[in-house]
Structure formats: C-alpha cells, structure tokens
Amino acid sequence: MLGGVRRWACVLITSLAVTPEAYAQGTTERVALVIGAGAYQNGDSLPGVAEGARALADGLEEAGFHVFRSIDQDVGSMITTVDAFYDALSEASLALFYFGGHSVQYDHINYLLPVDVDLSDEMDLQTQTLRLDDVLDSIDSRVPVRLAILDAGRDSPFAQRMAQSLGMLSPLVRRGLAEIEPRANTFIIYSTQPDTRAIAGGEGPSPFTDALVAYLSEPGLELRGLMTRVRRHVYQATRGEQLPWEMSALLVDVYLVPELPGQQQDSAAEVRQHMDNRPLPTVEAEAELVFWQSVEAWGRREDYEAYMDAYASGRFTALARERVAALAAAPESEPEAVPAAAAAPREVELALWNSAESYGTADAYETYLNVFPAGQFADQARIRLEAIDAENEAIARQERQDEAMARAGEIPSVALQWALRGLGFYTSRVDGAFGPQTQAAVRAFQETIGAGLTGELTPEQRVRLIEMAAEDGQPESQTTLGIMYASGIGYPADPAAARHWFEEAAGQGFEPAQANLERMEE
C-alpha cells in the first residue's frame, strides 16, 4: 500500500477562474457521489473497498465538495442516494462519480452491483443493479464538466453465475468493464484497461484506489498528469498485471488542487460559457501538454531541461525554469527506484502515442513521428497514416463520384432516346420529347435491369443506359459517353476514358466522335 488512504484532501476544479469570495464561501458548486460496495451478501466480499471509499468521501468534504455517500448500501438505498445526487446537480459546475465494487459487463453494457445483488438472469440486471450508462447520461444532461472514476472489473462469482444461466448467450458476459466513448467535457478513469480483470487488493484498498488517493492532494497537478503517475505506480505495484486506463473528452484543464494563478473554478454558468466559446486545442498544443504532463509526472531536472530544449517559448517554459531552479537548490536525495526500461523519454513517448491514438488523425500521428521518428510505435504510426490516407482517398473518390452523378441530369433527352433505340427499346423518331412511347421504352429498360417501372429515369439509370448502349456498339452513345467522361458527368472526369470512347465511335465512321478527338488534340 502507498499509505495515502487516511491523509489527503483534494479540490476537484477546472482551470478557469472564480472570484476569491465565491471560493471562500464554497459556492463553486462541486458535487460528488462516492459509492463503495464491498460487503457482498451473495458473493465474494471486498473488504478494502469501503475503507477507500470513506477516505475519498472524507477528503472531498474537507475540500468543500457536497458529497453523497453510498457505503455498502442495498440496491434500494443506493438508488435513493443516486437520485439525491442527481437533484443536487442543477447548479453544479463539476460532478464527480466514483464507484468501487463488483461489476458485470453484459452485451457491452456495464452494470454496477450493490451489496445485496443476487444475479441469475438478464432481468436481474435490470432490477438489481445500477447501469453505468444511465448514471453518465443523467450527469451529462445536468453538469458541464464530468469526472467518473471506476474501480471495478474484478473477477466475481456474479458474472460466472450469469454466464452459466445464459447458456448459448454466455459469450455476452465479458470480463472487466466495457469501453465507453465519453461526451464533450467528460473524463472517465478505469482502474484497468477495458475488458481486462482488475486486482481486488486483499484486506486494504485496491492498488488503483490506493495510488489515486496518494496523488490526489498534490497541488498544481493537472488531471491527465495525475493519471500518468497513478498508472505508473499501479503498473509497477502489480508487476505489469494492471494498467489504469482513461477516456478523455475534456475541453478544459482539470486541477485537483490549484497551485498556479488561474487554476481555479468558474461558477456553473461561467463554465458553460467557456465550453461554448473556448477554442479547441491544436494537435501541436496537445502534444506539448502531453510532453509537459509526462515531465511533471517524473519531476526530474533533466526532464524539465528536455522540455525547455523542445519548447523554448512554450506554455510551461517559465514554470519549467522554476522547477529546475528549485531542484538545483534542494539537497541531494535518493532518486525514486524505477525499472531501467522505464526511462523518462519512454514515458513521454508512450504518453504522446496515447494522445495520437486518442485523436486518431494524420496530424496527431505525424506529430508523434516528428518527435520520435524511430520510436517504439513509429511503424504503427506509419501504418495508421497509410490507412488514413487510403480512407481519405476513398472518401474523396466517393465525393467526386457523387458530384459527377449529380450532373446526370445534364445528359440530353436526345442522347437517352438514341440509347433506348440502340438497345431496341424505342423505335420511334428521336426528337428529345419524352412522350408516352419514350416512357414505355424507359419502363422496358427498367424491367430489364430489375428496377421499378416508373417510366422516369433516375440519375444512376440515365448513366447506366448510356453505358449499356455504348458497350453494345452504338456510336451515338459511345460519343455521349466520351463527352460524359470528358466533362465529369456521371463519372469523375477521365480524359483517357473519354478518348477511348471517342475512338470507338470514330472507328465506325461517326464524324462527331472524330471532331471531339480533334478537339482533345488542340
């Protein structure tokens, strides 16, 4: 154990500004719901969960949060507490939801289990549990900034019994928690990666909650930097068996204890205004932020100097100089013992790669490659870029096709009649007038291609009609198809295809096709 469970107090706030009077009076509207379920009546108990949840709730109250507690409550009492929490969110600028206990993932939906749960089928999930999606949806509709912390996903007899009772549907019960895509300004923290098992923690708090509590009280540490420290400690404490995870869609910085000017919280109305007006960060700015957070997580002089080398005029350069000066003035101490392979640059690289994966854009992967051209994930980044390029090209190709098809109405009626005549559907005079005989010919064509007999051609049918007649050897339609390729009508512009069809028609002595070939030579 890291030993931080009984001795911390934290303030969960955003980086936006609040008046000193509002802060002193506790009017920053921070509301938390802390659920700890450990004393299970019908399955394996988790004795350390209640201890960790109480420590979390105590610290939040000391920091001025309005805290709702649900410690070892049955399902009815838990729902009552949750409803009271919802009622308190109307003026909140930040809501924190914490759950520690057993959970079940069924059909990619996460269910949180109260202590009196006794699952045997799907109906029990609906009536005896708390569905995580419902909680997040309710918070999302009320509060501008949301934080969910989930210390769940342990192996439990409840999931095993569910799987046994479902028979052929048992694969729907999966281990761990399902991944959730957060909405804007939501940060979801998992004690371990999605779909993997979390470690329970024995008689004390779990390794995740223990590490989380130990770091929450550090001033000036932005939430994502805090998670880097928590993740490193849990990974080391569990010898690589557990890796805390996060899903972030935050549009603001979140500090758990403020240290710098401006690291304070707005009122709910001010936060909402910032959400509407604050510009989204660029990939380059996010890369700098990830770099800085990793440097802060290690807190070593050489790491701050590396940041200053990379960002001589960066957002945190002045603070980095202060950190270096403070470290130079401090007495020598034994460095923290970390594995040799866990050097700071590797931690920075991992953080930047995770950021690139989160964005999933070409700019994000190119930013990673600019910093680590021969890095651990360089090959993967290049593969991602190739896939993005291929996807973008496919999208662009489809857009060009759609634009060309939208011009199919420009195909003259006379050309359509020539095509119908060439295919044997129309025997009357070609005059461009779509009367009853032409409409009957269109219906005969539509029957041949298996389309509805409307007597009116869709854009796709107009193009297909000309194409079929051209392939059947009719020079008028071959010339029309060449004009379509040359002009980008029905198909994206393709001079080579246009030349092919003009040559086919000209080879039959069709003079208009020869004239078009000559124009292409000019």
Side-chain angles (χ1 to χ4, degrees):
M1 244 174 86
L2 295 176
V5 171
R6 298 179 178 85
R7 59 173 177 78
W8 69 278
C10 80
V11 181
L12 258 172
I13 53 185
T14 71
S15 65
L16 311 177
V18 68
T19 64
E21 293 79 11
Y23 187 83
Q25 294 168 10
T27 57
T28 49
E29 303 123 353
R30 291 166 289 127
V31 183
L33 170 61
V34 176
I35 299 178
Y40 285 93
Q41 301 166 15
N42 301 298
D44 296 341
S45 64
L46 302 170
V49 166
E51 179 186 350
R54 289 191 183 97
L56 179 64
D58 290 345
L60 290 170
E61 284 185 343
E62 290 176 14
F65 270 82
H66 183 184
V67 179
F68 292 83
R69 300 171 182 241
S70 174
I71 309 297
D72 288 335
Q73 289 185 325
D74 59 29
V75 63
S77 301
M78 178 188 287
I79 297 302
T80 299
T81 304
V82 172
D83 288 341
F85 169 67
Y86 292 158
D87 291 341
L89 296 179
S90 59
E91 297 300 323
S93 59
L94 185 146
L96 181 150
F97 172 77
Y98 170 90
F99 177 84
H102 281 309
S103 62
V104 167
Q105 180 191 162
Y106 176 72
D107 196 14
H108 304 289
I109 298 175
N110 298 312
Y111 297 87
L112 310 179
L113 309 186
V115 294
D116 62 337
V117 69
D118 189 12
L119 298 180
S120 60
D121 55 32
E122 185 178 0
M123 182 60 68
D124 291 339
L125 283 177
Q126 309 302 326
T127 58
Q128 298 185 30
T129 71
L130 187 63
R131 201 171 89 145
L132 180 58
D133 285 351
D134 293 341
V135 176
L136 297 179
D137 287 345
S138 296
I139 297 174
D140 182 78
S141 65
R142 292 171 167 88
V143 187
V145 182
R146 284 82 55 181
L147 172 60
I149 304 174
L150 307 170
D151 190 2
R154 303 165 176 85
D155 284 341
S156 76
F158 304 108
Q160 296 168 8
R161 288 200 293 266
M162 275 287 299
Q164 291 170 359
S165 69
L166 290 171
M168 293 180 62
L169 295 179
S170 62
L172 294 177
V173 180
R174 303 184 63 181
R175 71 188 312 182
L177 292 171
E179 185 173 309
I180 300 171
E181 289 292 336
R183 299 178 185 176
N185 252 350
T186 300
F187 194 85
I188 302 175
I189 299 172
Y190 298 85
S191 61
T192 191
Q193 295 165 287
D195 300 317
T196 59
R197 177 183 64 89
I199 295 174
E203 295 297 320
S206 70
F208 169 75
T209 296
D210 193 33
L212 182 68
V213 170
Y215 286 114
L216 278 175
S217 61
E218 292 199 17
L221 186 59
E222 206 273 336
L223 182 59
R224 283 156 285 201
L226 178 145
M227 278 307 302
T228 298
R229 297 190 179 193
V230 169
R231 184 162 39 244
R232 183 178 73 240
H233 273 282
V234 173
Y235 188 77
Q236 293 174 355
T238 62
R239 298 183 181 275
E241 292 185 29
Q242 182 169 329
L243 184 68
W245 206 250
E246 65 202 53
M247 296 291 291
S248 175
L250 288 176
L251 305 179
V252 294
D253 293 335
V254 177
Y255 292 86
L256 304 183
V257 175
E259 178 182 69
L260 305 176
Q263 294 179 349
Q264 296 180 343
Q265 180 174 345
D266 274 348
S267 66
E270 290 169 324
V271 170
R272 291 187 177 95
Q273 182 178 0
H274 277 278
M275 286 176 64
D276 294 334
N277 300 332
R278 184 176 174 127
L280 292 174
T282 64
V283 174
E284 291 78 10
E286 179 69 12
E288 180 188 357
L289 178 60
V290 170
F291 198 153
W292 173 253
Q293 290 168 349
S294 298
V295 167
E296 281 280 82
W298 286 90
R300 301 189 302 200
R301 178 174 176 173
E302 57 267 31
D303 302 328
Y304 290 116
E305 290 172 344
Y307 169 82
M308 290 189 291
D309 289 341
Y311 298 97
S313 301
R315 294 161 58 190
F316 308 100
T317 301
L319 181 58
R321 291 195 188 97
E322 293 178 6
R323 295 280 198 268
V324 169
L327 289 169
E332 292 292 331
S333 60
E334 289 295 323
E336 180 181 2
V338 296
R346 184 171 180 180
E347 184 76 9
V348 172
E349 180 185 359
L350 178 60
L352 189 55
W353 172 250
N354 287 337
S355 176
E357 287 280 79
S358 176
Y359 272 87
T361 64
D363 284 347
Y365 292 117
E366 287 169 355
T367 297
Y368 167 82
L369 286 172
N370 288 338
V371 180
F372 297 102
Q376 179 183 357
F377 307 101
D379 289 343
Q380 290 176 255
R382 293 186 180 96
I383 291 172
R384 299 281 200 279
L385 283 172
E386 290 175 1
I388 290 171
D389 288 343
E391 181 180 1
N392 289 341
E393 176 55 33
I395 292 171
R397 187 165 52 248
Q398 186 61 51
E399 289 176 348
R400 292 193 296 269
Q401 179 60 53
D402 292 344
E403 291 172 0
M405 188 60 71
R407 298 183 62 192
E410 300 177 26
I411 301 173
S413 298
V414 170
L416 297 171
Q417 285 181 324
W418 276 116
L420 289 167
R421 187 171 182 174
L423 292 171
F425 298 115
Y426 182 66
T427 58
S428 297
R429 184 167 61 93
V430 175
D431 57 6
F434 261 54
Q437 289 181 316
T438 304
Q439 292 172 1
V442 168
R443 284 192 289 272
F445 165 70
Q446 289 173 328
E447 183 177 10
T448 298
I449 65 173
L453 308 182
T454 65
E456 297 181 1
L457 293 167
T458 67
E460 291 78 9
Q461 291 171 2
R462 294 166 78 93
V463 173
R464 187 172 181 186
L465 173 60
I466 299 297
E467 186 180 67
M468 288 174 63
E471 291 174 346
D472 198 50
Q474 188 195 51
E476 291 87 354
S477 294
Q478 289 174 338
T479 303
T480 299
L481 190 56
I483 294 171
M484 290 164 59
Y485 272 114
S487 305
I489 297 172
Y491 306 93
D494 186 340
R499 178 182 295 278
H500 166 75
W501 288 110
F502 288 146
E503 289 175 345
E504 288 288 311
Q508 298 185 61
F510 194 63
E511 293 183 0
Q514 184 61 45
N516 278 292
L517 276 174
E518 292 172 358
R519 291 193 189 97
M520 292 187 74
E521 298 296 338
E522 294 176 356

